[in-house]
Amino acid sequence: MEKGTLYGVSIGPGDPELITVKAMKVIERSKYIATPETGTSDSLALSIVSDAVDLSAKEIMGLSFPMTKDAEILARSHKEAADSIAEVLDSGNDVAMLNLGDITVYSTFAYVMNILLERDYDVELIPGVTSFCASASELKISLTTMNDPLHIIPATGVDLKEALALPGTKVLMKIGRSMPKLIEVLDELGLENNVYAVENCGLENEKVYKGLDEFDSKMGYFTIVVVK
Amino acid sequence: MEKGTLYGVSIGPGDPELITVKAMKVIERSKYIATPETGTSDSLALSIVSDAVDLSAKEIMGLSFPMTKDAEILARSHKEAADSIAEVLDSGNDVAMLNLGDITVYSTFAYVMNILLERDYDVELIPGVTSFCASASELKISLTTMNDPLHIIPATGVDLKEALALPGTKVLMKIGRSMPKLIEVLDELGLENNVYAVENCGLENEKVYKGLDEFDSKMGYFTIVVVK
């Protein structure tokens, strides 16, 4: 029997209308919908898609990816996800795995994909709208000008002062618990009028911040900070 | 009379199916469609959209943006574009201005938007799929891993050696005539096995390159280079 294809489907930042036509089609025709389940984003992807596509006849596969830095636990969760997807592909069915934002930017999908590519399964990726592009649109600012670079920086695990000294625009993602530190560094560098943020972009509880005065150390996990 | 709204509409990298549902709706209901006309991308945006939406009843506004570095000529072209859009907005009609890729990344729209925001017109931005995300999807590679940064770098006007020494993944855009120099630097830095490129992503003449051996100094303007 011919094996199915794994589709990595980007569903964009949160607004169901920011899903592409191609992603909608793949989700609509796939019987098996896989969705990552982590501590903070429990089926958020599924809830966004359910506003755009009728999922009642779908087989939903919840893939568990623990929020940990333990490489062994992570590797095991990726392998388990790959195994359960492989089982469906072997039965001749396609699987559409949902991914917030774009599938090639900080996605768990990449790990699962690499395992399945090594096992010679067919994999297709559908690109999507990143949360940082959507945030800039909400803020009505451009991320780049002329010939300036743009740096996408995970706030955890980098030297913030060094990162913010790069030329061009800086986008900070994966803020996690580093917001108090980030606020401190932005203030120290005198960037208080050059910063913007969007929390929960495209979701009902979206909030926009312009200037460091409006920032709040309690800003949550799904916050994108732009430093011009 | 109530003034119209200017919509900055991202149409993605080239494949008409990579337009978002939201962008499709805005284009469908807008009578006036503005599209940038430059030396290299003459109505490419319009030709992509025409595969997805019937444009026969639309008023097409060709906005001329010369490919020059002369700041005065550029500023004049932005002002002229803003003036002609303002005229339509004043008549109570909306204008949808098309933009390849995402509207906040190296877009001419930003300049026109800023002029019209200063004149208190309503402007809405619809984010879209960037060419670098779409290229990574075509290549089946992820642009980031765990806590590594991602740098989007315009190849013209930066020190390539310095830019390629940054930690994390580098995406080179706006290659223009710098491909021979870029190939030289990639070779010098011993990055021959860590480089990928997509030319004309999502278009009929798309071409994928893996490894420096496959690179060609004649690779064209719409080439995205990824350095892992």
Side-chain angles (χ1 to χ4, degrees):
Chain A
M1 186 196 314
E2 209 181 322
K3 286 179 181 173
T5 297
L6 169 61
Y7 290 92
V9 183
S10 309
I11 61 160
D15 179 344
E17 293 214 323
L18 291 180
I19 303 176
T20 65
V21 174
K22 194 168 193 172
M24 291 285 284
K25 285 186 182 172
V26 170
I27 296 168
E28 275 163 4
R29 70 164 190 254
S30 301
K31 191 181 165 201
Y32 290 84
I33 310 291
T35 184
E37 288 178 352
T38 61
T40 51
S41 62
D42 244 67
S43 63
L44 176 58
L46 205 62
S47 117
I48 292 166
V49 167
S50 69
D51 283 342
V53 182
D54 176 12
L55 298 175
S56 56
K58 306 289 191 190
E59 296 282 344
I60 307 297
M61 305 168 65
L63 306 175
S64 167
F65 299 110
M67 290 290 266
T68 171
K69 285 176 184 170
D70 185 315
E72 214 169 295
I73 298 178
L74 279 174
R76 198 186 314 139
S77 73
H78 299 149
K79 192 187 166 295
E80 280 169 8
D83 287 344
S84 63
I85 290 169
E87 208 175 302
V88 178
L89 300 178
D90 286 339
S91 75
N93 284 289
D94 296 336
V95 175
M97 180 168 164
L98 308 180
N99 194 88
L100 286 171
D102 177 73
I103 194 95
T104 70
V105 177
Y106 303 118
S107 76
T108 309
F109 175 82
Y111 302 96
V112 178
M113 165 180 79
N114 287 336
I115 296 172
L116 291 168
L117 282 175
E118 260 178 43
R119 296 189 200 164
D120 264 339
Y121 285 96
D122 287 332
V123 179
E124 296 288 334
L125 281 69
I126 320 288
V129 177
T130 63
S131 55
F132 57 85
C133 286
S135 295
S137 270
E138 280 297 308
L139 290 161
K140 296 178 193 177
I141 58 172
S142 87
L143 283 174
T144 57
T145 33
M146 289 299 277
N147 288 323
D148 282 337
L150 166 64
H151 308 279
I152 315 299
I153 300 161
T156 40
V158 299
D159 181 326
L160 283 175
K161 239 187 237 179
E162 209 174 280
L164 290 170
L166 289 167
T169 304
K170 277 74 67 178
V171 168
L172 291 142
M173 295 180 69
K174 296 180 151 209
I175 303 280
R177 278 187 282 268
S178 52
M179 189 54 85
K181 176 73 185 160
L182 177 58
I183 290 177
E184 198 186 301
V185 174
L186 288 168
D187 187 40
E188 216 178 303
L189 295 173
L191 293 167
E192 59 271 15
N193 299 320
N194 305 57
V195 293
Y196 307 82
V198 178
E199 194 174 7
N200 303 312
C201 186
L203 301 175
E204 265 176 34
N205 50 350
E206 176 182 295
K207 213 175 150 188
V208 166
Y209 305 82
K210 294 183 181 179
L212 199 58
D213 282 352
E214 296 187 3
F215 276 45
D216 175 347
S217 58
K218 288 188 201 72
M219 284 153 80
Y221 183 80
F222 285 107
T223 302
I224 301 290
V225 174
V226 181
V227 184
K228 292 280 281 184
Chain B
M1 190 195 313
E2 210 180 323
K3 287 177 181 174
T5 297
L6 168 63
Y7 290 92
V9 182
S10 309
I11 61 161
D15 179 346
E17 291 213 324
L18 290 181
I19 302 176
T20 64
V21 174
K22 195 168 193 170
M24 291 286 282
K25 285 187 182 173
V26 169
I27 296 167
E28 275 163 5
R29 70 162 188 254
S30 300
K31 191 181 165 199
Y32 289 84
I33 309 291
T35 185
E37 287 177 352
T38 62
T40 52
S41 63
D42 243 68
S43 61
L44 176 58
L46 205 61
S47 117
I48 292 165
V49 168
S50 69
D51 283 341
V53 181
D54 176 13
L55 298 176
S56 57
K58 306 287 191 190
E59 296 284 343
I60 307 295
M61 304 167 66
L63 306 176
S64 167
F65 299 111
M67 291 289 266
T68 170
K69 286 177 183 169
D70 186 316
E72 212 169 300
I73 298 177
L74 280 175
R76 198 186 315 139
S77 73
H78 299 149
K79 191 187 167 294
E80 279 168 8
D83 286 343
S84 63
I85 290 170
E87 207 175 304
V88 178
L89 300 179
D90 287 339
S91 74
N93 284 290
D94 295 337
V95 174
M97 179 166 165
L98 308 180
N99 193 87
L100 286 170
D102 177 73
I103 193 97
T104 69
V105 178
Y106 302 118
S107 76
T108 309
F109 175 81
Y111 301 97
V112 177
M113 165 180 78
N114 286 337
I115 296 171
L116 291 169
L117 282 176
E118 259 178 45
R119 296 188 199 165
D120 264 338
Y121 286 96
D122 287 332
V123 178
E124 296 288 333
L125 281 70
I126 320 289
V129 178
T130 62
S131 55
F132 58 87
C133 286
S135 296
S137 269
E138 281 297 309
L139 290 161
K140 295 178 195 178
I141 59 172
S142 87
L143 284 174
T144 57
T145 33
M146 289 297 282
N147 289 321
D148 283 338
L150 167 64
H151 308 279
I152 315 299
I153 299 161
T156 40
V158 297
D159 181 325
L160 283 176
K161 239 188 236 178
E162 209 173 282
L164 290 170
L166 288 168
T169 304
K170 276 74 66 180
V171 168
L172 291 142
M173 297 180 67
K174 295 181 152 206
I175 303 280
R177 279 187 281 267
S178 51
M179 189 55 86
K181 175 74 186 159
L182 177 58
I183 290 177
E184 198 187 302
V185 174
L186 287 168
D187 188 40
E188 216 178 303
L189 294 174
L191 292 167
E192 58 272 16
N193 298 319
N194 305 57
V195 294
Y196 308 82
V198 179
E199 194 175 6
N200 302 315
C201 185
L203 300 176
E204 266 177 33
N205 51 350
E206 176 182 293
K207 213 175 151 191
V208 166
Y209 306 81
K210 291 180 182 183
L212 199 58
D213 282 353
E214 297 188 1
F215 276 46
D216 175 344
S217 60
K218 288 191 199 69
M219 285 154 79
Y221 183 80
F222 285 107
T223 301
I224 300 290
V225 174
V226 180
V227 185
K228 292 279 282 183

